[in-house]
Amino acid sequence: MKRELGIARCGLACCLCSENTVCHGCDSGECPDKDRCENRRCSMAKGYDHCYRCRNHCRKGLLSKIKPYGFTLFARRYGEAALLDCLEKNEKNGIVYHREGLVGDYDDFDDVEKLIAFIREGKR
């Protein structure tokens, strides 16, 4: 885990992303999707560094997907440091962010509350 990479504006875990050799984060100016990313544009327009700081509970852009939405809600409730702590503990216990392609253990949920419990406890 590259903890220093933290969490993207939309909630994706840059710190665990196997694709982060190309991307250096939302604010680096090097993100290949910086001009198309709805979450980046919206959060910047509102003056937020992350979607979890916003009071609106929207499902725009990547927040339409369960993993970034669940990570965003987790960070809103417990803080980004707590999210990073849980992700780090889970990774050490064998929970995989990306398994085949971009899909991993956090993607296998339909219920956001079950995903949040999984993040906290590391158990299904």
Side-chain angles (χ1 to χ4, degrees), residues 54-74:
C54 184
R55 292 183 189 160
N56 297 332
H57 290 268
C58 75
R59 299 292 301 264
K60 291 181 189 178
L62 285 171
L63 293 176
S64 66
K65 298 180 185 223
I66 190 83
K67 181 169 53 182
Y69 184 65
F71 286 14
T72 295
L73 289 181
F74 190 102

Side-chain angles (χ1 to χ4, degrees), residues 38-101:
E38 187 172 3
N39 301 107
R40 181 177 184 272
R41 278 195 316 270
C42 180
S43 60
M44 288 177 76
K46 292 180 178 182
Y48 297 120
D49 59 349
H50 290 87
C51 292
Y52 69 78
R53 299 199 192 278
C54 184
R55 292 183 189 160
N56 297 332
H57 290 268
C58 75
R59 299 292 301 264
K60 291 181 189 178
L62 285 171
L63 293 176
S64 66
K65 298 180 185 223
I66 190 83
K67 181 169 53 182
Y69 184 65
F71 286 14
T72 295
L73 289 181
F74 190 102
R76 184 177 288 145
R77 290 178 191 172
Y78 308 109
E80 184 175 350
L83 175 58
L84 291 171
D85 290 346
C86 288
L87 294 175
E88 188 168 26
K89 174 188 63 139
N90 290 345
E91 181 185 46
K92 287 178 183 174
N93 290 327
I95 294 173
V96 178
Y97 187 69
H98 289 157
R99 190 172 300 285
E100 297 169 13

